[in-house]
Amino acid sequence: MQASIRLIPVQGMAWLFVAVSLACAVEPVNPAGGALAGERPRVIISTDIGGSDPDDFQSFVHLLLYANVLDIETLVSSPPQAGRARHILEVLDAYEKDYASLRKHSEDFPEPETLRRITRQGAMEPAPDQGWSAATEGSKGIVARAKADDERPLWVLVWGSITDVAQAVHDDPSIKGKLRVHSIGSWNTQQDRAAREYLFKNHADLWWIESDTTFRGMYTGGHQDGEWGNRTFVEAHVKGHGALGDLFFSKKRDIKMGDTPSLLYLLRGAPDEPTTAHWGGAFVKTDHGPNYWTDNPDHSLSEGGRAGAKTVSRWRIDYLRDWRQRMEWTSMR
C-alpha cells in the first residue's frame, strides 16, 4: 500500500510525521465485478431507436462495441413514435462493415446475421389504460428467453417505453423470477405511463432498477476538459472510426446517449447489488416491494438538480477511456 507523508504541527511538540494511506482518499480504479471482469450477462435490449431522439443510435453503437462480453439474446424495437426494427438493422449494417476488424481483437463478437435474426418488432403504440394489450413479437421474445434453460438471470435494458416488458409480464408472470429490469425512465416513462403503472402497481415483486435522473450523469458533470468533453470526445475518438463511428457522428455530434448507463451498470460493478458502485450508477432501495431501486436523493450525489447523477459521472474518464479503445478497434485492420 502506498502512503504519503505529511508534517502535522502538534502543540508542545516538534513536527510529528504521520503516514496517511492514499487508499483512504483515492477511489478504486474501477468498481469490482461486471462483464469486463469476466462475468457474462444475458441481455435483452428494448429500444425506441429511430424515434424522436437520436441518442438511442449512439447507445446502440456503444452496445455493439461491447457485444463480445455479453450474451445478447433479443433486440426489441419498442418505440413510441416513429422508431421501428429497421432502425436496429441500420446499426447492424454498420456493425457488419466493422465486424472483421472487431474480430481481430476478440473472436467473441457475434456475427451480424445472428443479431439480425434476434431483432424483433415490439409495440408500435402505447398500452391502453389497463397497461397491457396484445402480445407482440417483442414481448413474445422476452417471454421465450426468460423461459430458456439457463440459470443466469436475464437483464432487460429498457431504452424506451416499457410497453413490451409490461406485456410480457402480463402474459406470463412466471418469468419475473428470471428478469432483472433496468429502465431509463423520465421522458421514456411519459410516453407510456400506463404500462409503467401496471408493472409498478401489480408486480411489486419484479426486480427493477428505475432510473429517472441518475442516467443523466452520462453527459452531465464529471471531467469534461480537453478531449473528454461531450463534443470533443466524439470529434477526436468517434468520428472517422469505422462505419459505427461515422453512423454515430451522423446521428448526433456530441455525447448524450442517456440510455447507455444501463449497459455501463453491467460492464463494471456487481450487478446484483444496485446500492454499490457501478459505472452506470448506484441506487437506493425503497419500501416498494423486495427488489425495487431508484435514484439516490442524497444532495451530495446530485448534479444540476439531477438526483444520483454523480454516481455515473464520477467514472466518466474510466468508461470513456475504455470506449475510446474499442472505437480504435474499428479502424485497426
Side-chain angles (χ1 to χ4, degrees):
M1 179 179 291
Q2 292 180 314
S4 64
I5 303 297
R6 292 192 299 175
L7 291 173
I8 299 178
V10 180
Q11 186 175 5
M13 294 177 61
W15 292 94
L16 177 66
F17 288 87
V18 180
V20 182
S21 171
L22 288 180
C24 296
V26 179
E27 294 178 344
V29 174
N30 278 305
L36 292 176
E39 300 172 19
R40 194 170 184 88
R42 303 170 64 207
V43 177
I44 287 178
I45 305 295
S46 176
T47 172
D48 62 353
I49 188 171
S52 63
D53 191 338
D55 79 326
D56 281 58
F57 280 102
Q58 297 183 314
S59 291
F60 223 97
V61 167
H62 182 274
L63 166 75
L64 293 174
L65 291 167
Y66 287 89
N68 66 315
V69 297
L70 311 167
D71 283 336
I72 300 175
E73 302 204 358
T74 308
L75 301 170
V76 180
S77 168
S78 187
Q81 303 181 13
R84 297 293 182 267
R86 63 183 174 83
H87 296 109
I88 296 176
L89 298 178
E90 180 182 352
V91 190
L92 294 181
D93 288 345
Y95 173 73
E96 184 170 37
K97 294 176 182 177
D98 293 339
Y99 179 64
S101 295
L102 293 172
R103 285 271 295 184
K104 290 180 180 179
H105 298 274
S106 172
E107 293 184 355
D108 291 329
F109 279 101
E111 295 183 359
E113 193 56 38
T114 298
L115 296 176
R116 291 189 181 103
R117 285 197 300 268
I118 62 173
T119 299
R120 303 282 184 268
Q121 182 60 56
M124 297 186 187
E125 300 292 338
D129 290 344
Q130 62 191 5
W132 50 271
S133 181
T136 67
E137 291 305 309
S139 67
K140 291 176 186 176
I142 295 171
V143 172
R145 296 317 305 160
K147 296 175 80 69
D149 185 15
D150 194 317
E151 293 183 354
R152 294 173 296 167
L154 179 62
W155 289 87
V156 184
L157 310 185
V158 183
W159 297 357
S161 298
I162 204 164
T163 313
D164 282 285
V165 177
Q167 188 68 48
V169 170
H170 169 268
D171 292 347
D172 192 341
S174 72
I175 68 174
K176 286 186 290 183
K178 273 293 185 71
L179 298 186
R180 301 289 185 270
V181 178
H182 188 146
S183 65
I184 304 299
S186 188
W187 185 89
N188 289 332
T189 297
Q190 297 171 24
Q191 307 314 299
D192 189 349
R193 184 159 293 277
R196 185 268 180 190
E197 292 302 307
Y198 167 74
L199 287 175
F200 190 81
K201 294 176 180 178
N202 295 282
H203 298 281
D205 56 338
L206 178 66
W207 201 106
W208 187 2
I209 296 173
E210 188 172 27
S211 175
D212 284 320
T213 53
T214 297
F215 70 89
R216 295 188 187 275
M218 183 72 206
Y219 53 88
T220 303
H223 186 94
Q224 296 203 29
D225 294 338
E227 66 182 296
W228 307 109
N230 288 331
R231 186 172 291 274
T232 53
F233 184 89
V234 173
E235 185 71 31
H237 303 301
V238 180
K239 177 185 177 182
H241 289 65
L244 286 169
D246 287 341
L247 177 65
F248 184 109
F249 187 75
S250 73
K251 299 297 182 180
K252 198 174 192 307
R253 299 187 176 191
D254 61 326
I255 291 174
K256 184 184 178 188
M257 46 201 306
D259 299 301
T260 293
S262 64
L263 174 60
L264 294 178
Y265 178 90
L266 293 179
L267 294 181
R268 287 290 185 188
D272 289 330
E273 301 176 12
T275 61
T276 62
H278 305 77
W279 272 1
F283 301 87
V284 293
K285 196 168 188 178
T286 76
D287 59 1
H288 175 75
N291 297 302
Y292 176 83
W293 297 264
T294 191
D295 311 294
N296 193 325
D298 185 335
H299 181 70
S300 69
L301 301 176
S302 177
E303 187 77 63
R306 309 294 190 175
K310 285 184 179 178
T311 67
V312 175
S313 64
R314 66 184 280 199
W315 304 107
R316 181 179 176 92
I317 296 296
D318 297 288
Y319 59 68
L320 288 186
R321 183 181 288 118
D322 197 87
W323 177 31
R324 178 183 66 184
Q325 179 183 36
R326 286 173 178 261
M327 289 302 318
E328 291 172 354
W329 290 358
T330 66
S331 303
M332 293 180 181
R333 303 298 177 185

